Amino acid sequence: MTTAPNATDTTLSEEGRQIALEELRETEQTRTQALAAMREWVDQNAAIIRCRTDDNFLLRFLRPKKFSLPIVQEAMTRYLVLRQALPPFRRLDCEDPAVAALIDKGYVFPSPRRDHKGRRVIIYRPGVFDPHQQTNEDMCRIHAMAIEVLLENEEDQVRGFVHFADGAGVTLPFLTLFTPREAVRIVKNGERTVPMRHKEVYGINVPSSLKMALDWGLGLISEKIRSRIKIFTSLESCLEHIDRKLLPKEYGGDIPMDEMIALWKEELRALRPKIMSHDQMEVNLDMFTEQARSGAISALRTGNMLVSTHKQDGKTDIKGLSGSFRKLEVD
């Protein structure tokens, strides 16, 4: 695992630093103190056996939660448990044949251009996924891989992301990929656990046969995120809201999709060793309930504070930040 440096710094541009200050309340002092506190928490937490503690990794959790340590620690705990307990969140290898095939098809890839606010635009084409030939693990793995790679960039941690999804080709068999319970877990944990700032979401070509399922899914997410989602009946109407130059040539831009995918594959290969090393991170799953291990974590709290486990004098003392360990609440 990465060894944390003694001093904290950031690779953010001056504009990025200003955004971090205005939107996330991030200053050099705040960043330094929060990073030190998180490293101490990881070191003293008996449930965490191995974990990255370099600035970049910890900041990806601190920034979207605006440096609120109890909330950050809950999100990071969720992340560590989920990626170890559920197979689709491990072995994030861009050279795995099943994943590589989806990458080549353009299932998900970011535009090489940033929008006027410096944000990456992530393009999704779920219709190229074959539910008869590929598995839900393949689907989860390629999403998890994209997230891990993109969040290695500090500018993206701060500026957030724009999402563009084309639902053409999505059919009813897609509904059989996940049970309703699994779908709820994915949606809820996606919002609570994935440390991404979702700024704008655009969708086109939503099949009428799946509109009810989409409405159900939207009902599971927060009003904050739901208000940022816009669904359009045509590409032309969507292009009134998003710069066409950010999209592939096939959607009105000027860069062919194949070129965008090739550039994305270069990004994936460059970070492959680091992303693969995440499988070395480990938590003591015996300290969590079966429901938590299967991905339905609701919270680790005592009252309103996150539960933390501490090591002292060779003994494990499980305490909350404001009291003793009570229970693990589950959805």
Side-chain angles (χ1 to χ4, degrees):
M1 291 287 89
T2 306
T3 301
N6 293 325
T8 63
D9 199 1
T10 176
T11 61
L12 287 175
S13 63
E14 285 302 317
E15 183 181 18
R17 291 171 190 253
Q18 189 61 34
I19 294 172
L21 174 61
E22 294 176 357
E23 298 185 11
L24 309 177
R25 301 191 291 271
E26 179 178 335
T27 65
E28 183 176 356
Q29 181 180 19
T30 299
R31 185 171 61 248
T32 300
Q33 292 177 346
L35 286 169
M38 286 298 293
R39 290 188 180 109
E40 181 180 8
W41 173 74
V42 171
D43 183 62
Q44 295 183 351
N45 196 321
I48 299 177
I49 299 172
R50 282 185 298 274
C51 179
R52 277 180 65 178
T53 56
D54 57 285
D55 289 5
N56 181 294
F57 184 77
L58 296 177
L59 285 169
R60 71 176 62 180
F61 293 96
L62 285 162
R63 283 169 167 152
K65 304 303 182 183
K66 300 183 179 180
F67 295 84
S68 175
L69 291 181
I71 300 176
V72 172
Q73 290 164 356
E74 177 183 334
M76 190 165 159
T77 301
R78 285 175 177 275
Y79 166 88
L80 293 170
V81 171
L82 286 175
R83 78 170 321 280
Q84 183 172 328
L86 301 182
F89 297 98
R90 298 192 301 275
R91 295 187 299 105
L92 304 183
D93 186 359
C94 62
E95 296 184 2
D96 176 270
V99 173
L102 286 172
I103 295 171
D104 288 337
K105 289 181 178 180
Y107 174 81
V108 56
F109 59 95
S111 171
R113 291 173 171 163
R114 295 178 178 272
D115 70 2
H116 65 290
K117 294 184 178 180
R119 303 174 300 196
R120 291 297 293 270
V121 178
I122 308 175
I123 298 156
Y124 304 86
R125 302 173 63 244
V128 304
F129 184 94
D130 186 346
H132 302 291
Q133 299 294 326
Q134 294 156 318
T135 69
N136 55 9
E137 285 197 14
D138 298 330
M139 179 180 285
C140 290
R141 189 166 283 118
I142 195 169
H143 280 283
M145 183 188 308
I147 291 166
E148 295 281 11
V149 169
L150 290 168
L151 287 176
E152 287 294 328
N153 187 302
E154 285 196 65
E155 294 289 335
D156 294 329
Q157 292 176 9
V158 169
R159 296 174 187 267
F161 298 89
V162 175
H163 306 272
F164 172 85
D166 177 6
V170 176
T171 56
L172 285 174
F174 276 72
L175 296 180
T176 67
L177 289 170
F178 301 96
T179 66
R181 186 181 185 187
E182 289 170 336
V184 169
R185 287 175 174 172
I186 289 171
V187 173
K188 287 190 174 182
N189 280 299
E191 182 172 355
R192 297 174 183 176
T193 308
V194 177
M196 297 179 78
R197 304 191 71 202
H198 307 289
K199 308 303 288 187
E200 298 173 15
V201 182
Y202 301 104
I204 62 171
N205 296 325
V206 177
S208 57
S209 59
L210 298 180
K211 188 177 184 303
M212 184 177 297
L214 175 63
D215 291 341
W216 175 76
L218 292 176
L220 298 176
I221 61 179
S222 67
E223 175 57 33
K224 175 182 177 181
I225 300 298
R226 193 160 57 243
S227 67
R228 298 176 182 180
I229 299 175
K230 294 181 174 61
I231 307 297
F232 299 92
T233 56
S234 68
L235 173 62
E236 290 72 22
S237 57
C238 182
L239 290 176
E240 296 176 6
H241 298 264
I242 185 171
D243 185 350
R244 66 177 62 234
K245 291 184 178 180
L246 301 170
L247 302 177
K249 188 174 182 179
E250 291 81 351
Y251 291 92
D254 54 23
I255 302 178
M257 188 184 304
D258 285 348
E259 289 186 20
M260 288 192 174
I261 294 171
L263 291 170
W264 174 231
K265 289 169 71 172
E266 290 180 10
E267 288 189 55
L268 291 171
R269 284 193 291 265
L271 285 170
R272 179 175 178 264
K274 179 171 286 188
I275 303 307
M276 292 289 289
S277 75
H278 286 185
D279 285 353
Q280 298 174 27
M281 291 193 289
E282 184 181 0
V283 295
N284 185 347
L285 289 179
D286 290 338
M287 300 186 74
F288 301 94
T289 67
E290 175 60 31
Q291 292 95 325
R293 293 196 297 271
S294 62
I297 298 175
S298 175
L300 295 171
R301 299 179 183 276
T302 59
N304 293 322
M305 303 302 284
L306 178 76
V307 166
S308 178
T309 57
H310 300 274
K311 305 166 187 172
Q312 187 173 9
D313 299 327
K315 299 180 180 179
T316 299
D317 181 25
I318 305 179
K319 289 183 175 292
L321 297 178
S322 63
S324 60
F325 179 76
R326 302 275 178 90
K327 64 178 180 177
L328 174 64
E329 297 176 4
V330 177
D331 287 332

